[in-house]
């Protein structure tokens, strides 16, 4: 299903594209230059997730962050990729590495949420 492009959607995706890192809905709300209520921001972000435009990251602190599905070195990031949260600057970024894991027989993975925490390259 093709969704309509609206000023709200354009404003939210512009903020996410400009950041190059995952952002919380609060951070997105602070950066948007037009008046949008919080419920609308969540609704649009969830539509973007359904449409594969952004992905949701639930960090180890329980907070939800959203990142544009970026390409790295002309390759799409794998569906099961790690994220890194810096404990100094609090940024979250996607790491372009495959997640390799094995499960017992008859288990099927539908989603992976891998968060590594530590100090990022900028803060080291």
């Amino acid at each position: 299903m093709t969704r309509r492009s609206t000023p709200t959607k354009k404003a939210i995706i512009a903020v996410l594209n400009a950041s190059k890192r995952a952002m919380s809905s609060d951070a997105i709300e602070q950066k948007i230059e037009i008046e949008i209520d919080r419920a609308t921001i969540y609704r649009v972000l969830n539509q973007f997730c359904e449409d594969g435009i952004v992905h949701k990251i639930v960090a180890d602190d329980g907070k939800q962050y959203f990142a544009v599905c970026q390409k790295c070195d002309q390759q799409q990031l794998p569906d099961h990729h790690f994220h890194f949260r810096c404990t100094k600057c609090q940024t979250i970024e996607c790491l372009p590495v495959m997640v390799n894991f094995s499960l017992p027989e008859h288990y099927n993975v539908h989603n992976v949420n891998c968060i590594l925490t530590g100090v990022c390259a900028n803060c080291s």
Side-chain angles (χ1 to χ4, degrees):
M1 171 170 110
T2 305
R3 299 186 200 261
R4 258 181 348 120
S5 181
T6 65
T8 299
K9 291 177 183 177
K10 288 177 183 176
I12 291 171
I13 201 70
V15 167
L16 285 168
N17 278 327
S19 79
K20 303 293 185 208
R21 293 180 186 243
M23 297 179 73
S24 68
S25 61
D26 294 340
I28 294 167
E29 185 177 12
Q30 290 174 2
K31 296 267 185 189
I32 289 178
E33 296 180 1
I34 63 174
E35 186 75 26
I36 305 173
D37 65 88
R38 194 169 290 192
T40 301
I41 292 171
Y42 271 111
R43 182 176 40 77
V44 168
L45 288 169
N46 285 319
Q47 284 178 353
F48 284 164
C49 287
E50 288 172 15
D51 295 345
I53 297 167
V54 303
H55 62 277
K56 186 186 312 185
I57 304 154
V58 180
D60 59 327
D61 60 1
K63 201 168 185 180
Q64 293 181 356
Y65 297 84
F66 299 87
V68 173
C69 295
Q70 299 282 347
K71 291 186 177 188
C72 182
D73 297 325
Q74 306 305 321
Q75 301 266 335
Q76 184 82 22
L77 282 173
D79 288 336
H80 305 305
H81 63 273
F82 283 96
H83 299 93
F84 188 90
R85 183 175 69 84
C86 180
T87 54
K88 260 188 163 171
C89 66
Q90 300 304 313
T91 59
I92 292 186
E93 59 187 300
C94 299
L95 299 176
V97 294
M98 288 293 291
V99 176
N100 295 311
F101 53 87
S102 61
L103 293 170
E105 192 175 340
H106 305 293
Y107 285 81
N108 295 304
V109 175
H110 293 236
N111 188 23
V112 173
N113 186 26
C114 300
I115 299 286
L116 302 172
T117 58
V119 180
C120 71
N122 290 337
C123 292
S124 291

